[in-house]
Amino acid sequence: MLLTFDSYVVQTRNLAARLNLPFSVIKRHKFPDGESKLTLPDTLPEHVIFCLSLDNPNEKLIELMLAADAAKELGAKRLTLVAPYMCYMRQDIAFHPGEVVSQTIIGQFISRHFDAVVTVDPHLHRISRLQQAFPVKDALTLSATEAMTEFLQSEMDAPLVLGPDIESLQWVEAVAKSKDWDYAVCQKRRMGDREVQVSLPNLNLQGRSVVIVDDMASSGQTLIEATKLCLDKNASSVDVLVTHCLLAQQAESDIIKSGVRHIWSTDSVAHHTNVIPLDELLFAGLDGLNQ
């Protein structure tokens, strides 16, 4: 059986249909002081799959913990978490004394409540395997890059795929290489959450259709700077394609004002830019875990 919260119903329904399993939405009540009261089905099968993305994580993590422990009291013996977007993965090192390395803390927190974890394109840059952050028996990393390639192929011919920084190279390369599309990455220097300096590689962008590809879009500042530079070099168009769209309305508006034609994303996080469903990818991943 699949369980979800009200923020991720459509995606869970699609995955449940592929798995040929029932699903239920956990009922939530918010008290005036901000505490949550949750209600699960009163009996559960031995294996329960929680499906939700962990954007806006601080509230969701508490509710996930409450629901997971309650599920075990209601009959579940094995819990799997399918979180297409996994939170707190960027903070994977202490750059200054006293900084909290939240990736390992959140990974251990989730692993105490779940037997298996499945996610999509997590921010793994200083570790090679998800299991290093999530010490569970089955910690599965999936990638949306093949689906992103297929989507781009349906939209345009031979785009130039550009990464906004060196950390995006793994996604840019995976999206572009199978079709022999040109690709490159920018250099980025970050001075703060909303202040970045971006420099383009030495490329001829005259008349090219550029697609900026990354794992996530959040503040949007890197995308804005990269877009302006591409248009200054006479690119014919600039589009953005990301796995996880975390953009607030103002950030999205600023990106469009900078000259971006389209913002596209997978449905890892529910957002109106979603164009690539992940249920087929998640189904294949879960099917492999159960073999």
Side-chain angles (χ1 to χ4, degrees), residues 123 125 162-174 184-186 212-215:
H123 203 78
H125 292 297
L162 183 68
D165 53 38
I166 192 63
E167 292 184 342
S168 66
L169 177 60
Q170 59 181 298
W171 291 285
V172 168
E173 190 173 52
V185 296
C186 300
I212 301 175
V213 169
D214 207 354
D215 61 331

Side-chain angles (χ1 to χ4, degrees), residues 224-241:
I224 289 169
E225 296 303 317
T227 297
K228 290 177 180 177
L229 292 172
C230 288
L231 294 176
D232 286 345
K233 294 191 75 170
N234 298 315
S236 64
S237 63
V238 178
D239 298 303
V240 169
L241 175 60

